């Protein structure tokens, strides 16, 4: 065989290289995950030992100070043995005790998170159920510590599933809860800065200009299909085509359904529900595939009256949700439109209440552990 042919790369070499690279990356990922689990288990065991000694022998804080100094002297290349980190180990073990028949710490959601994220859970949350919920969400969505802290600060758990909807009437019970959990109220768009003169198109463009933050706030599984998505509806009698445009059309690959979003820069009005009902019927007729579930609609407004919204959704037979959003210079209200107040005798008291301003997630990401002290469990 000629030398040139021997030296030439085979035609399938690129595919072979890609396979080898994928194996290397997979092995490296497994090694990192195994090392993280081992570290979490070590920290939990140290925390358990400290707790046990405190309870049996009455150890005080000076023992932790001495232990930190001795461990750092013995293992100078390891950075995790500061006084504050040992206290976090103690708090970690106290928060996740080894109960009879329970899984080991490495098998629990917190055992799969990096130590920095566990510190965030301990420092920012007091409730065990809340810590577990955020740990599961962090694993599912691949959150960094900074993103986890931002989601805690914005009360994602409290916002999820709290929108006013027609889901209970329009969807099977099994679907209703799953879809409701995918919708928040309010949506935190504080990464936007809109002027008082902004129009709905300005809001739409601002969201898409920071599409990464927008998709993160929307939640897991959302994929953007298009903005100002055209719906061409032929007339059954004349054949004339009527064209309508949806502000934003998403597909959620977890829910297996389209999500139609109608953006408003004014508080909710009853006619918004009828318009969304039409959009959903049109999307289901023109875009929905046989394997897709019925589309859902999300009307995003800066404010809404609970009573007006509930009454408007009563006659809607498609799954529609009404949720509020906030930007960096907006507050949430539950005020009813002035023209509707006479018809709603219970609104004066409601109109006097404000839900306040949802705090923005102002997060300072500090990798240094020495400056932090555990506040959740001391």
């Amino acid at each position: 065989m000629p030398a040139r042919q021997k030296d030439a790369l085979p035609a399938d070499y690129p595919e072979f290289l890609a396979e080898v690279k994928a194996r290397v990356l997979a092995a490296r990922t497994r090694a990192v995950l195994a090392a993280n689990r081992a570290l979490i288990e070590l920290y939990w065991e140290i925390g358990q030992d400290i707790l046990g000694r405190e309870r049996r022998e009455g150890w005080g804080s000076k023992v932790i100070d001495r232990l930190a100094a001795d461990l750092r002297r013995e293992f100078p290349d390891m950075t995790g043995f500061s006084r504050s980190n040992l206290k976090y180990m103690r708090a970690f073990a106290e928060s996740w005790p080894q109960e009879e028949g329970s899984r080991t710490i490495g098998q629990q959601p917190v055992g799969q998170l990096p130590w920095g994220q566990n510190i965030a859970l301990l420092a920012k949350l007091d409730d065990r159920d809340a810590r577990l919920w955020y740990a599961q969400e962090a694993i599912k969505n691949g959150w960094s510590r900074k993103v986890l802290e931002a989601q805690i600060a914005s009360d994602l758990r409290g916002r999820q599933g709290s929108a006013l909807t027609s889901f209970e009437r329009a969807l099977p019970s099994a679907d209703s809860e799953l879809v409701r959990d995918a919708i928040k109220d309010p949506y935190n768009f504080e990464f936007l800065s809109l002027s008082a003169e902004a129009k709905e198109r300005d809001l739409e463009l601002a969201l898409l200009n920071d599409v990464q933050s927008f998709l993160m706030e929307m939640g897991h599984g959302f994929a953007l299909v298009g903005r100002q998505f055209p719906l061409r509806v032929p007339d059954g009698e004349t054949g004339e085509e009527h064209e309508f445009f949806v502000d934003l059309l998403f597909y959620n690959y977890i829910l297996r359904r389209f999500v139609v979003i109608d953006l408003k820069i004014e508080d909710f009005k009853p006619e918004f529900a009828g318009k969304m009902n039409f959009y959903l019927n049109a999307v289901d007729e023109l875009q929905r595939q046989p394997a897709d579930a019925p589309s859902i609609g999300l009307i995003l407004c800066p404010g809404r009256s609970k009573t007006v919204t509930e009454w408007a959704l009563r006659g809607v037979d498609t799954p529609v949700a009404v949720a509020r959003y906030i930007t960096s210079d907006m507050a949430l209200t539950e005020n009813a439109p002035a023209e509707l107040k006479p018809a709603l005798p219970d609104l004066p008291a409601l109109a006097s209440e404000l839900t306040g301003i949802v705090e923005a997630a102002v997060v300072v990401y500090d990798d240094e552990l020495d400056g932090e002290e555990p506040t959740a469990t001391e």
Side-chain angles (χ1 to χ4, degrees):
M1 180 179 295
R4 285 186 179 180
Q5 290 184 347
K6 289 184 177 180
D7 294 338
L9 293 175
D12 62 348
Y13 176 78
E15 290 80 4
F16 173 74
L17 176 61
E19 291 175 3
V20 173
K21 287 167 62 176
R23 289 174 186 168
V24 171
L25 290 173
R28 187 165 64 180
T29 299
R30 289 195 299 270
V32 170
L33 293 175
N36 179 72
R37 281 194 296 270
L39 183 66
I40 295 299
E41 289 177 358
L42 171 64
Y43 284 175
W44 182 83
E45 290 170 357
I46 292 174
Q48 284 281 57
D49 291 342
I50 293 173
L51 274 176
R53 297 276 183 160
E54 286 180 352
R55 291 165 180 167
R56 292 192 306 270
E57 303 173 24
W59 275 15
S61 60
K62 288 186 178 180
V63 178
I64 291 183
D65 294 343
R66 177 59 184 270
L67 180 62
D70 289 341
L71 288 174
R72 293 173 100 169
R73 187 182 307 109
E74 185 69 23
F75 304 102
D77 295 335
M78 297 185 69
T79 59
F81 294 129
S82 65
R83 174 181 177 275
S84 61
N85 209 36
L86 286 174
K87 286 196 169 185
Y88 274 120
M89 294 178 201
R90 177 195 177 281
F92 183 60
E94 188 174 34
S95 298
W96 306 102
Q98 179 68 57
E99 299 169 351
E100 186 176 353
S102 65
R103 296 179 297 174
T104 65
I105 194 66
Q107 295 173 317
Q108 297 184 46
V110 291
Q112 301 171 45
L113 290 176
W115 181 239
Q117 294 186 9
N118 274 298
I119 288 180
L121 295 174
L122 293 169
K124 306 292 184 183
L125 299 166
D126 295 329
D127 181 65
R128 176 189 170 97
D129 290 340
R131 288 172 180 165
L132 180 60
W133 188 88
Y134 280 102
Q136 292 169 332
E137 290 297 307
I139 293 169
K140 181 172 72 175
N141 296 293
W143 291 342
S144 66
R145 177 179 175 177
K146 186 176 181 179
V147 171
L148 172 61
E149 290 177 332
Q151 298 289 21
I152 293 173
S154 70
D155 188 28
L156 175 62
R157 185 173 182 239
R159 294 186 291 126
Q160 203 155 27
S162 57
L164 299 179
T165 76
S166 62
F167 293 168
E168 290 185 2
R169 296 186 304 277
L171 293 173
S173 57
D175 288 347
S176 176
E177 184 175 354
L178 180 64
V179 174
R180 180 183 292 276
D181 285 345
I183 304 297
K184 307 171 188 173
D185 182 40
Y187 281 85
N188 189 344
F189 296 157
E190 294 199 352
F191 53 87
L192 302 180
S193 181
L194 296 174
S195 67
E197 295 78 24
K199 302 184 184 306
E200 288 168 4
R201 187 65 57 86
D202 298 323
L203 173 60
E204 176 186 321
L205 290 174
L207 287 172
L208 294 182
N209 283 339
D210 195 350
V211 68
Q212 182 176 1
S213 298
F214 182 34
L215 288 175
M216 183 175 295
E217 177 60 17
M218 288 304 297
H220 196 52
F222 281 89
L224 179 63
V225 177
R227 61 174 289 266
Q228 290 301 307
F229 190 87
L231 298 173
R232 298 179 177 88
V233 182
D235 188 289
E237 294 179 342
T238 66
E240 181 183 357
E241 192 173 76
H242 301 270
E243 192 170 48
F244 304 87
F245 295 90
V246 171
D247 287 343
L248 296 171
L249 182 63
F250 284 85
Y251 188 83
N252 189 293
Y253 61 81
I254 295 176
L255 301 177
R256 299 289 183 183
R257 62 182 81 220
F258 286 100
V259 180
V260 177
I261 295 183
D262 197 14
L263 299 171
K264 300 296 180 183
I265 58 170
E266 58 182 326
D267 289 357
F268 177 80
K269 293 179 180 178
E271 53 264 36
F272 297 167
K275 182 180 178 183
M276 177 58 76
N277 185 59
F278 167 76
Y279 282 160
L280 291 176
N281 284 318
V283 169
D284 280 349
E285 288 289 337
L286 300 173
Q287 299 296 325
R288 179 184 169 191
Q289 301 300 306
D292 293 336
S295 303
I296 61 175
L298 174 58
I299 303 171
L300 288 174
C301 304
R304 53 104 173 112
S305 160
K306 184 174 186 293
T307 305
V308 170
T309 305
E310 289 176 342
W311 289 9
L313 293 178
R314 280 184 190 173
V316 175
D317 58 3
T318 53
V320 176
V322 177
R324 295 162 292 179
Y325 65 84
I326 55 172
T327 62
S328 58
D329 53 359
M330 296 174 62
L332 298 177
T333 71
E334 297 225 4
N335 294 338
E339 66 270 24
L340 293 176
K341 288 182 180 179
L344 302 171
D346 60 329
L347 279 181
L350 181 64
S352 67
E353 298 179 1
L354 298 177
T355 60
I357 301 175
V358 175
E359 293 291 336
V362 182
V363 177
V364 178
Y365 182 41
D366 185 3
D367 286 328
E368 294 295 330
L369 299 176
D370 290 342
E372 302 180 358
E373 291 290 338
T375 57
T377 51
E378 277 285 318

